[in-house]
Amino acid sequence: MFESLGEKLENAFKKFKNKGKLTEADVKAGMREIKLALLEADVNFKVVKDFIKIVSERAVGSEVMESLLPGQQVVKIVNEELTRLMGGTQAKLEIDSKPPTVVMMVGLQGAGKTTHAGKLAGMYKRQGKRPLLVACDVYRPAAIKQLEVLGAQLDIPVFQMGDKESPVKIAAEGVKYAEQKGYDMVFVDTAGRLQIDEQLMDELIQIKEKVKPIEILLTVDSMIGQESVNVADTFNQKLDITGVILTKLDGDTRGGAALSIRYVTGKPIKFIGVGEKMDAIEPFHPDRMASRILGMGDVLTLIDKAQQQFDEKKAAELEQKIRESTFTLDDYLEQFQQIKNMGNLEQLAGMIPGMKPGALKDAQIDEKALAHQQAIITSMTPEERRRPEALLNASRKKRIAAGSGTTVEEINKLLKQFEQIKKLMKQFSDMGNGKKRTAFGKRGKMKFPF
C-alpha cells in the first residue's frame, strides 16, 4: 500500500535536497510535485488544496528558511501534516462502562463488513474479552451462514434468528442475550447494499435507536478510491458514525481514502484490514502510517507484530546465530513458520526504515510452498543444511529434487528466499546492535524480534 505515492513524494523531495537555502520558487516547484502525487493517489481535491496551502505556508517560514538542512525540515513538515490530516493520534474503540459494549457494523455490500466483524471480535477475544456476534443481515444469501463459519473458526458464538425476523428485533434480542449470558462485547453485523438507498438507511437508524451502540463502525473498501470517501460522508450524515475500518489496504490501492476520510467526515479511521487472514487487522496509527508513506518505516507496528509471535529466549539464540553468521537452513525452516504468522513479507519490508515495500516481492509465502520447502530441506544432508553454498553443485540439486518430489527450479527459489530472509534478519540484528539507533529516536536500542 502507498508504494506508488511514497515513490512520487520521494521524487518531489529531491527538489529540496542538497540546497543550503530554499527560495519561495524552490518551495513552489516542490509543492507542485507533491500536489500531483496526492491527486494521482486519488486524494480528495479539497483535501489536497488545503494540505498544500498549510505545508507551503510552513515551508516558507523561518523554521525552514533559517534551517541548516531545509530539505529535511520540509520532509518533517510533510510528515507532521500527513499525521494531522489522518487524525493526529490513534482513536481507540470505546469500551462501555456498563457491559456489554455494543458495536454496530455498517457498510456497503462487498466492503468486508461481515469478515471484519469477525476479525474485530477475534482481536478483542485475544485481549481477554467475551465477544458475541449478532447476525442481522437477513437479505444477502448465506450472510448468516458466513458469520457462523467465521464464528466457528474463531470459537466465538453467533446469535441468529434466521432470515424471517426483522433485523431490528434480531439486534435487540442479541443484545439482551449477551446481557443474560455475560458477554461483554456485541458486534452487530447489519445488512449492506450494492449502493446506498433510503430503505437501508432507515433500517440502520432503527437498529441504532433500539440497541444504542457505543460505536458505529463503517467498513470502507479502500480499493474504490474517491468513491469510498463519498460513501463514508453519506453514512456519517445519516448515522453519525464513530469511526471507520479501512479494508484491503494490502491490495494495489492508491491510498487516497486513508488521507481523505478523516478530513471529509471528521471521524477517525480506527482499524485497517491488511490481508485475508482472520488476524489481518491492525489499529490505525496516523503517525505510523505517515512514516510508512514517506518511506521512514513503521518499526513500532513491526515490534507489535513480532512480540505477538516470538519467544524472548529463542529470539536471543537466533540473534546470536545471525550475528555470528551461523544461521542455517534448519533455522530457516523453524523460523519461517513464525515469520509467516506475522504477515506478508512485502508489508514487513515496508516497515523497516530504508527498505522499500517491493524489496521482498519474490518472497511470497503460501502453505503449499512451505510444505515443498520442508520436503526439500529434509532431503538435504546435515552438511548441506549447514552450508547451503555446497548446493552450487548441480548433481546435489538433482538428487534433492528427486528425493523431495520437487524440481531444481524450486530448490533455486528456496535458496534465493533463504538469502532474502537472512538479509531481512540482518537488518534487525544491525538495529539491535545500535547501528541504526537514530532511526528510533528516544526509544534507543531495539531488540531483535525473532
Side-chain angles (χ1 to χ4, degrees), residues 88-230:
T89 55
Q90 181 196 3
K92 295 184 178 181
L93 191 82
E94 192 173 341
I95 302 296
D96 205 325
S97 56
K98 184 184 176 185
T101 294
V102 179
V103 180
M104 184 174 163
M105 306 290 292
V106 301
L108 294 184
Q109 196 171 307
K113 173 173 46 62
T114 300
T115 303
H116 283 78
K119 286 184 179 184
L120 265 186
M123 173 188 280
Y124 281 94
K125 184 182 179 185
R126 291 190 291 274
Q127 294 176 16
K129 297 289 187 182
R130 291 193 67 221
L132 174 72
L133 291 162
V134 178
C136 292
D137 186 351
V138 300
Y139 306 108
R140 180 167 61 90
I144 296 170
K145 183 64 178 174
Q146 181 190 359
L147 197 63
E148 288 183 321
V149 169
L150 292 174
Q153 286 176 11
L154 297 160
D155 194 23
I156 293 171
V158 175
F159 180 88
Q160 60 102 348
M161 296 172 68
D163 58 5
K164 304 302 180 196
E165 292 288 353
S166 82
V168 180
K169 182 177 180 181
I170 297 169
E173 291 298 322
V175 172
K176 190 186 294 182
Y177 179 81
E179 290 169 348
Q180 292 169 349
K181 299 296 182 180
Y183 294 103
D184 52 16
M185 295 194 83
V186 179
F187 294 90
V188 180
D189 181 36
T190 65
R193 298 283 195 281
L194 293 176
Q195 59 187 29
I196 294 167
D197 62 47
E198 199 170 320
Q199 184 187 350
L200 167 69
M201 285 302 177
D202 286 346
E203 184 176 280
L204 295 176
I205 290 167
Q206 289 175 44
I207 293 173
K208 175 186 175 182
E209 289 173 350
K210 193 72 175 177
V211 302
K212 297 181 171 48
I214 195 166
E215 292 271 6
I216 301 176
L217 297 181
L218 172 67
T219 306
V220 170
D221 181 348
S222 64
M223 298 287 279
I224 62 174
Q226 188 55 49
E227 183 55 33
S228 64
V229 181
N230 300 332

Side-chain angles (χ1 to χ4, degrees), residues 391-401 408 411-412 415:
L391 294 172
L392 291 172
N393 184 311
S395 62
R396 287 180 184 246
K397 289 182 182 177
K398 287 178 183 175
R399 187 201 81 238
I400 294 164
V408 171
I411 295 170
N412 288 335
L415 294 173

Side-chain angles (χ1 to χ4, degrees), residues 2 38-45 108 111 220-233 244 246-249 252-261 264:
F2 298 118
L38 293 171
L39 289 173
E40 285 177 22
D42 214 13
V43 181
N44 178 281
F45 177 75
L108 294 184
V220 170
D221 181 348
S222 64
M223 298 287 279
I224 62 174
Q226 188 55 49
E227 183 55 33
S228 64
V229 181
N230 300 332
V231 168
D233 192 34
V244 173
L246 204 55
T247 69
K248 304 178 188 176
L249 270 178
D252 184 22
T253 174
R254 287 179 287 178
L259 299 179
S260 305
I261 281 180
V264 173

